[in-house]
Amino acid sequence: MNARRIGPMLLAALVAVGCSTVPQRDAALENARVAVDGARTEPLVTTFAPVELRAASDAFYQAEATWRDLGDADRIRHLAYLAQQRAEIAQQAARMRAAEAAVASANLERDRVRSEARAFEAQQAQREATLAQMQADAARQSAQNAQTQAAIAERRADVSQQQAQDAERRTRMLEQLLAELNAQPTDRGLVVTLPDMLFDSGRADLKPGAVRTIERLAEYLQRNPSRGVAIEGFTDSVGNDAANRELSERRAEAVRMVLIDLGVAPSRMVVRGYGKAYPVASNDSPEGRQLNRRVEVVISEDVGRLSARSPRTER
Amino acid sequence: MDSKPWKAWIAVATMAALVLGGCATAPAPTEQIAVSRAAMDDAISAGSTEYAPDEFRIAQQRLNAANEAFARREYRLARQLAEEAEVDARLAATKARSVKAQRAVAEVRESIRALKSELTRR
């Protein structure tokens, strides 16, 4: 070996060493390795950012190759930095696309909820409309009911007016009957006097003309079913007292029989013969005696108040 | 072999020149700076000044440094810085878009929640 050649060779070796370094652990490369491995093992990244992940991996392989080939330390740091940043880009791109996908599905969800809300509102409106319809129907029904009630009340008013008219007519009829019977009000009740001339002289048989009066009496009693009747016979003072009492009683009894024939219940009637007692006129004149010969029909307020004459009520 | 020792020196000088040239000189990275500039513009339009301000600032500083190195004709350094500025800008843009998308998710979910609670309240 020529000693003169050693100098240039040494120089060349020194120059070569100056441009490259011995491979050793490089901090920047380790950071890049951690970042790229983190991206590779992140499912979100492999799913949503495969292109960016590939770029980061390629950048890392380039940096690692340069390191293995004993490349320039500054260049290794540079390439490692590019790889690390690309790994971070992959991470961010993955999150962005995941979020975009979530926005898309959330928008679908929101549209679904919105249409649900609209359907609910429509349903609500339908329900309210139905309710309003029901209320309207109910109002119409109650108006109809009120109308019906009014009609019923009107008819009732008609009926009660009719009844009032009937009652009035009945009252008038009764008054007329009483007037025809020439009934006299007394403290014992209404008194209808059947005069002597309605009977055969000295006998208890009623003349046909008496029947009309007794018919009216019967009609009045039938219209006033709660009233009782006392039929009392009287004579003048001529003749035997016992005979007079018997005659007066038989005349009263005759009237009672006719009233029974005309439909008046026997239980409503009592018969008494007073003879010459209780004269209504003087027995001294023929006119007075004729007035004393009579049958009085006393119509009391009710059957239970049929009372016999007391001496005090003598007239 | 020892007939021309000066030839050996010429060879050594040539080799050293080549090696040193390989280390010190490089073509002007005009294209790479344009690419980085475009990535920067994209980051701005993505809203990174608001949604990824740290990443944006780093990218901007690197691009400025690249431009300064370019002006000093340190092309190798300028290329490195420009390449780093490009990935910085891309990261800023991607992060800004990611943040916006995640906020959009939150907003839509909130609107769904509000709709649902309005539904159940009625």
Side-chain angles (χ1 to χ4, degrees), chain A residues 25-312:
Chain A
R25 286 183 69 87
D26 183 280
L29 193 61
E30 287 310 307
N31 287 345
R33 190 196 307 280
V34 168
V36 173
D37 282 351
R40 276 188 193 129
T41 53
E42 170 59 55
L44 216 56
V45 174
T46 53
T47 305
F48 287 106
V51 174
E52 286 83 355
L53 180 60
R54 170 67 60 82
S57 287
D58 288 350
F60 177 72
Y61 291 142
Q62 203 185 340
E64 197 180 38
T66 305
W67 169 76
R68 206 183 303 112
D69 295 346
L70 307 177
D72 173 28
D74 187 51
R75 180 154 179 77
I76 293 167
R77 183 210 58 77
H78 168 67
L79 293 174
Y81 181 79
L82 295 185
Q84 188 180 343
Q85 288 296 80
R86 287 201 178 278
E88 185 60 27
I89 288 170
Q91 293 271 13
Q92 291 294 343
R95 279 181 220 167
M96 175 185 77
R97 286 179 198 132
E100 283 168 355
V103 166
S105 72
N107 275 331
L108 287 177
E109 164 82 355
R110 186 184 54 193
D111 293 348
R112 191 184 62 73
V113 172
R114 267 187 190 153
S115 70
E116 228 170 66
R118 274 197 287 273
F120 182 82
E121 276 165 12
Q123 209 179 356
Q124 191 91 328
Q126 178 65 49
R127 210 174 294 145
E128 276 164 16
T130 308
L131 190 65
Q133 181 64 48
M134 282 166 68
Q135 283 169 344
D137 287 351
R140 193 160 48 235
Q141 187 61 48
S142 79
Q144 269 178 7
N145 288 349
Q147 209 171 339
T148 308
Q149 292 291 333
I152 289 172
E154 200 176 336
R155 190 151 327 142
R156 274 187 189 147
D158 284 354
V159 168
S160 64
Q161 194 180 349
Q162 188 66 45
Q163 284 171 342
Q165 281 174 0
D166 288 352
E168 200 182 333
R169 198 176 305 134
R170 195 163 144 262
T171 305
R172 272 205 306 276
M173 201 180 291
L174 289 173
E175 282 168 358
Q176 195 179 344
L177 274 170
L178 288 172
E180 283 172 9
L181 291 168
N182 195 22
Q184 301 297 316
T186 71
D187 52 353
R188 296 175 65 210
L190 288 169
V191 177
V192 176
T193 301
L194 305 174
D196 176 54
M197 53 197 171
L198 294 178
F199 294 91
D200 291 339
S201 179
R203 297 176 61 98
D205 301 323
L206 282 158
K207 289 183 177 169
V211 174
R212 188 170 152 69
T213 301
I214 296 171
E215 275 174 355
R216 297 237 171 90
L217 195 55
E219 194 182 345
Y220 181 83
L221 290 172
Q222 272 162 358
R223 289 189 185 280
N224 295 275
S226 67
R227 299 202 167 182
V229 184
I231 306 165
E232 301 172 342
F234 305 92
T235 60
D236 56 20
S237 59
V238 177
N240 180 275
D241 279 356
N244 278 341
R245 244 194 315 277
E246 197 213 332
L247 178 63
S248 66
E249 188 167 340
R250 279 196 288 119
R251 280 186 167 181
E253 181 61 28
V255 172
R256 178 173 175 263
M257 294 308 292
V258 175
L259 284 172
I260 288 169
D261 288 347
L262 292 172
V264 180
S267 61
R268 296 173 62 188
M269 295 181 283
V270 292
V271 167
R272 296 181 188 110
Y274 289 107
K276 64 176 184 183
Y278 311 109
V280 293
S282 167
N283 280 309
D284 295 342
S285 67
E287 296 80 12
R289 285 196 294 276
Q290 191 177 25
L291 287 174
N292 285 337
R293 295 191 298 273
R294 68 197 192 277
V295 171
E296 288 182 3
V297 179
V298 184
I299 303 165
S300 72
E301 285 298 316
D302 57 74
V303 180
R305 288 178 62 185
L306 284 174
S307 53
R309 283 172 182 260
S310 64
R312 287 174 190 275

Side-chain angles (χ1 to χ4, degrees), chain A residues 5 8 12 15 19 72 74 77-78 81-82 85 88-89 92-93 95-96 99 103 106 109-110 114 121, chain B residues 1 12 15 19 23 62 76 80 83-84 87-88 91 94 97-98 101 105 108 111-112 115-116 122:
Chain A
R5 288 192 183 171
V15 168
C19 264
D72 173 28
D74 187 51
R77 183 210 58 77
H78 168 67
Y81 181 79
L82 295 185
Q85 288 296 80
E88 185 60 27
I89 288 170
Q92 291 294 343
R95 279 181 220 167
M96 175 185 77
V103 166
E109 164 82 355
R110 186 184 54 193
R114 267 187 190 153
E121 276 165 12
Chain B
M1 284 193 74
V12 166
M15 196 174 94
V19 168
C23 277
R62 278 235 166 72
R76 189 168 172 274
Q80 277 196 357
E83 283 175 0
E84 290 174 11
V87 290
D88 289 343
L91 175 58
T94 310
R97 292 195 173 105
S98 171
V105 173
V108 177
S111 76
I112 290 171
L115 264 175
K116 278 183 174 169
R122 276 187 282 173

